[in-house]
Amino acid sequence: MKIAIPDMISNSYFPAAAAVELGFFKDEGLDMTLELIYPVNRTLEVLRDGGIEFVGGSAHSTPFAFPGWKGGKLLAALAQNTYWFLILRADLKAKKGDISAIKGLKIGAAPLVDLGLKRLLVESGIDEARDNVTIVPVPMEFLGEGAIKNFGVGAAKALQAGAIDGFWANGMGAEVAVRGGWGTMVIDARRGDGPPKAIHYTMPALITSEAVIARDPGAVAAAVRALVKTQKALKADVGLATKVGRKLFPDYEASLIADIVQRDLPFYDPSISREFVNGMTEFQRHMGLLDRAVSYEDVVATQFSQYWSS
C-alpha cells in the first residue's frame, strides 16, 4: 500500500511519514511505502484515481478531487488546527500578530494552501486589490529537483533570494527563515495569531477514498491505529523525530525537526471534532470548494473514530 504527502521536508505531515519510517504501519500488518506527490491537489487526484491508498494532506483540499465530499473521507487528524505561518522579510521589522504589515507585498503560497491566506486577509479587513497584496506561487527553481518539491524550505530560499517578500507555509520553512535571520514570523495560525475562525480552516489529516474503505476496511482501521501509535510514540520520545528526519531530510533540516515537533506535540490529537468540520466547511464554502452544506458524516469516516483513543 502507498501513502503520499505533498511536502516531505516538513513538520506538516510528519506523523504520516514517521508511521512509515518508525514501523508503526508494519506493526499493524501493513506493507506501506511513502511517496511525495506535489502539490496537494495532485496528491488527492492520485488517491481518487486509485494510484495510492492514503494521503497525509490538508483536510480542506479534499473536495478538489472529491467534489461535495463524495468519495473522499477524513480518517483522523495528523495534528489539530490550521498549520501555516506567515513569514515576512526581516528588514520590514513586522511585529508578531500585525497582519497589516502584509500590505504592498508579494507573498508566496502553494496551490490550495493560498486559500487559507486569502480568507485570513478577508477576515482581518485586508483587501488584496485595495491593499496591493499579491499572492503568487513560489518560483519552481526554489522548490527542488524534478518531482522532489519541498514547499516550505523552497519558500524560505525564495525569500532569502529576494524573489518574494514573504510566504505562507509550514513550520519547517518558517524555522529555516527565522533562524537564518532573513524572515520574521508574523502569524502562527495554529496558535491563534489570526482571526478566531482561522484555526479551523483546515488541519493536516489522514485521508482516504470510499473505494479503499469498501475494498479493505481492515487496512483502513490498521492505518488509523498506526497513526495514533505514532503520535503517542513521538509524545513519549520526541528524539524519534530526529531519527526519522535523518532518513528523510537534508542534514540541516533533520537537526531542526525535533524542536519543531516538540512545539507541535500539544496538537497531536487524532480526533476530528464537529466544531472543526463546521469551521472548515464554512471556509470551504467561502472559498468555492463547496457549494452546499454537508454533514459531519459526509466528511469523516466515523466508523474508524473508535481508534482515535486506541
Side-chain angles (χ1 to χ4, degrees):
M1 305 188 89
K2 296 178 182 178
I3 183 168
I5 56 178
D7 203 355
M8 185 69 75
I9 307 173
S10 171
N11 61 310
S12 296
Y13 315 111
F14 191 78
V20 176
E21 298 300 332
L22 296 174
F24 286 102
F25 283 124
K26 184 178 180 181
D27 289 348
E28 290 292 333
L30 300 179
D31 182 12
M32 189 76 71
T33 56
L34 177 67
E35 294 193 5
L36 173 66
I37 302 175
Y38 173 88
V40 69
N41 50 306
R42 179 60 185 152
T43 323
L44 289 160
E45 288 173 335
V46 176
L47 172 66
R48 178 198 63 202
D49 296 341
I52 54 179
E53 285 77 27
F54 300 97
V55 166
S58 48
H60 80 282
S61 301
T62 307
F64 179 88
F66 299 94
W69 283 96
K70 294 184 180 301
K73 283 287 192 288
L74 304 186
L75 295 171
L78 301 179
Q80 298 293 310
N81 296 1
T82 299
Y83 49 101
W84 298 314
F85 296 78
L86 177 64
I87 304 295
L88 299 181
R89 289 184 354 239
D91 65 290
L92 297 172
K93 301 187 184 305
K95 302 296 184 184
K96 195 166 187 289
D98 182 14
I99 188 63
S100 66
I102 202 173
K103 293 179 181 179
L105 301 183
K106 181 167 69 173
I107 307 299
L112 294 175
V113 174
D114 61 351
L115 300 181
L117 179 58
K118 288 175 179 287
R119 186 62 190 167
L120 185 145
L121 294 181
V122 169
E123 293 187 350
S124 300
I126 295 174
D127 182 275
E128 287 181 58
R130 181 195 67 212
D131 295 316
N132 193 30
V133 179
T134 307
I135 301 173
V136 299
V138 168
M140 293 297 287
E141 62 262 31
F142 295 102
L143 297 186
E145 298 294 330
I148 307 302
K149 302 292 185 285
N150 292 288
F151 189 84
V153 174
K157 292 177 180 177
L159 180 64
Q160 182 182 25
I164 51 178
D165 298 309
F167 60 83
W168 173 250
N170 62 56
M172 179 62 80
E175 193 80 3
V176 169
V178 171
R179 289 203 189 199
W182 61 85
T184 297
M185 183 191 302
V186 178
I187 297 291
D188 176 347
R190 170 167 275 161
R191 295 163 182 86
D193 288 341
K197 292 183 178 182
I199 64 168
H200 287 155
Y201 290 167
T202 193
M203 63 164 55
L206 181 64
I207 307 165
T208 195
S209 67
E210 291 182 351
V212 172
I213 292 171
R215 183 171 69 244
D216 200 342
V220 175
V224 177
R225 292 194 300 268
L227 168 63
V228 173
K229 289 178 180 178
T230 304
Q231 292 170 325
K232 289 179 177 179
L234 289 166
K235 284 183 173 183
D237 180 6
V238 75
L240 292 171
T242 301
K243 180 179 178 181
V244 175
R246 286 173 177 161
K247 292 182 178 181
L248 299 177
F249 300 173
D251 290 345
Y252 180 61
E253 288 78 6
S255 76
L256 302 180
I257 190 61
D259 286 349
I260 301 171
V261 169
Q262 179 74 57
R263 293 197 295 271
D264 285 347
L265 291 179
F267 302 94
Y268 275 16
D269 175 349
S271 64
I272 302 173
S273 69
R274 291 181 183 272
E275 179 185 14
F276 165 73
V277 170
N278 289 341
M280 177 189 65
T281 55
E282 177 185 340
F283 165 69
Q284 289 174 319
R285 294 183 76 178
H286 280 300
M287 303 313 297
L289 288 169
L290 275 182
D291 59 6
R292 61 178 180 83
V294 294
S295 70
Y296 180 83
E297 291 74 18
D298 290 329
V299 172
V300 178
T302 56
Q303 65 268 46
F304 303 104
S305 63
Q306 62 184 300
Y307 302 111
W308 295 343
S309 58
S310 64

